[in-house]
Amino acid sequence: MITLCRSVKPFVNFNAKHDAEVLRKAMKGIGTDEDVILMLLAARSNAQRQEIKAAYKKAFGKDLGKDLRSELGGKLEDLIVALMYPSILYDAHELHKAIKGVGTEDEVLIEILASRTCDEIKDIAKAYKKEYGSKLEKDIMGDTSGHYQRLLVILAQVKKCVCSLIVFQELFAAGEEKFGTDEDKFINILGNRSAEHLRKVFDAYKKIAGCDIEESIKDECTGNLEALLLAVVKCAKSVPAYFAESIRESMRRAGTDDESLIRIMVSRSERDMLDIRAIYKKKFGESLYSTIQEDTEGDYQKALHYLCGGND
């Protein structure tokens, strides 16, 4: 996991018992001090938040997550509650909600399964089974269909390998020449190769086909399969660039997509947020911090700014 490019780092003078007491005081009595809560929790690493949760339970006999839910509201509640999940369990929770909620949230399935590392996917699958009593792969199969389902399952199985460079020709044959008759081969190649290997495949594909692989996907696919294939390609090229684009989309739609914004800001804050910020500024000509400033407000905005880690 990338650690040097994260915006949220372990708090140096950390004391879980003291933090638990501060949070209890912020929630006790008439009114809740949201500023204290968001400033403290956004400035602690995920591992430290888990220690605070345990210290809170030991000192006060109460569940910190439940107390936060009862004292906060709206988008700030959603963000703070998301911060309190262990990172792997948070991904498992988001996948389960996407599959088992009203209608499948395909955007969530695509984002998480296309962007996480093999080790992360393995850990997510274990957490999913432990928490929800069913296999992630089985639940995906029960809620999706067709080639889209097949690629999701391949990504969930994380059987990525580095194979012979003959796949360049195979990919071209499956794409521009006869995509409609050989989608399986296309899916197998994109789903079963490491990111490093895929980058070599994409370079060779461009030389053979005379166009970027994204162009072929857009020409030959539609719907969820197109979105998933494009996400796999983008993440193989650059995960931070993929998320810079995703964050932009979440705040530039008709109304901010706060669920996506929260999920990305929380999940990337201890992975690669500084890289995302740099790419965002370069690609869109403004800082992520300033876009958040324009699109959000109040304590929710403050919390997002803390996770962003500063202005560029």
Side-chain angles (χ1 to χ4, degrees):
M1 182 184 291
I2 296 171
T3 57
L4 295 178
C5 296
R6 61 190 184 183
S7 56
V8 175
K9 301 177 177 67
F11 190 69
V12 178
N13 300 311
F14 176 64
N15 184 315
K17 185 172 182 288
H18 174 264
D19 285 353
E21 290 168 352
V22 171
L23 289 170
R24 179 65 175 163
K25 185 178 178 182
M27 292 186 281
K28 197 175 179 181
I30 300 171
T32 301
D33 195 334
E34 286 91 353
D35 270 352
V36 169
I37 293 170
L38 70 90
M39 285 173 66
L40 191 152
L41 292 176
R44 303 298 185 269
S45 69
N46 190 277
Q48 289 175 335
R49 291 183 209 117
Q50 306 316 309
E51 290 186 49
I52 294 168
K53 193 190 296 184
Y56 190 92
K57 179 74 172 178
K58 184 177 181 181
F60 308 111
K62 297 171 78 67
D63 184 290
L64 177 56
K66 288 181 180 178
D67 280 1
L68 288 167
R69 283 190 186 93
S70 68
E71 294 294 331
L72 302 172
K75 291 173 281 192
L76 179 64
E77 176 192 343
D78 294 339
L79 190 151
I80 295 297
V81 168
L83 285 174
M84 295 310 298
Y85 278 96
S87 57
I88 292 298
L89 184 56
Y90 178 59
D91 281 345
H93 166 76
E94 289 295 290
L95 287 169
H96 186 261
K97 186 174 69 171
I99 295 168
K100 295 300 183 181
V102 180
T104 307
E105 294 181 57
D106 294 290
E107 186 177 275
V108 179
L109 298 182
I110 291 167
E111 177 192 301
I112 293 175
L113 292 175
S115 66
R116 302 312 190 249
T117 66
C118 289
D119 286 341
E120 286 169 346
I121 293 288
K122 287 175 186 175
D123 290 341
I124 290 165
K126 287 178 186 176
Y128 189 98
K129 179 72 162 65
K130 184 178 179 181
E131 189 73 11
Y132 303 110
S134 58
K135 289 186 177 181
L136 173 60
E137 179 185 333
K138 183 180 177 182
D139 284 354
I140 289 170
M141 290 180 73
D143 218 51
T144 58
S145 61
H147 288 97
Y148 171 59
Q149 176 199 80
R150 187 153 184 271
L151 182 52
L152 285 173
V153 169
I154 288 172
L155 294 171
Q157 289 173 335
V158 292
K159 295 177 181 176
K160 293 182 183 296
C161 59
V162 178
C163 301
S164 165
L165 300 191
I166 196 169
V167 297
F168 299 153
Q169 282 79 14
E170 291 179 357
L171 192 54
F172 180 53
E176 290 287 290
E177 286 189 342
K178 53 174 183 177
F179 191 98
T181 60
D182 209 358
E183 287 175 305
D184 282 343
K185 185 172 286 185
F186 204 89
I187 289 167
N188 274 331
I189 291 168
L190 290 183
N192 284 310
R193 268 61 177 187
S194 68
E196 181 184 1
H197 186 65
L198 282 176
R199 287 192 290 272
K200 295 176 183 176
V201 171
F202 301 154
D203 288 342
Y205 183 91
K206 188 171 184 178
K207 291 175 184 175
I208 295 169
C211 66
D212 288 325
I213 193 167
E214 291 99 315
E215 293 177 46
S216 294
I217 291 170
K218 289 173 184 176
D219 287 343
E220 303 289 347
C221 289
T222 58
N224 289 328
L225 178 60
E226 177 190 357
L228 180 56
L229 287 168
L230 287 173
V232 170
V233 170
K234 289 174 183 177
C235 287
K237 289 183 174 182
S238 170
V239 170
Y242 168 75
F243 279 111
E245 187 177 307
S246 297
I247 290 174
R248 183 72 174 184
E249 288 175 2
S250 76
M251 289 190 283
R252 285 294 178 256
R253 294 172 181 171
T256 303
D257 180 357
D258 292 292
E259 284 192 11
S260 294
L261 181 58
I262 290 169
R263 186 176 59 253
I264 296 169
M265 295 299 292
V266 168
S267 65
R268 307 318 295 184
S269 61
E270 291 188 56
R271 286 182 171 105
D272 50 8
M273 183 54 69
L274 299 186
D275 284 339
I276 292 169
R277 272 173 44 187
I279 293 168
Y280 189 97
K281 178 72 179 289
K282 184 177 181 180
K283 186 166 186 178
F284 302 113
E286 62 181 3
S287 68
L288 175 55
Y289 189 98
S290 64
T291 307
I292 290 170
Q293 184 110 23
E294 293 169 11
D295 270 60
T296 61
E297 59 186 11
D299 291 326
Y300 174 55
Q301 180 190 90
K302 289 180 189 176
L304 289 171
H305 275 159
Y306 276 112
L307 296 181
C308 182
N311 204 351
D312 297 303

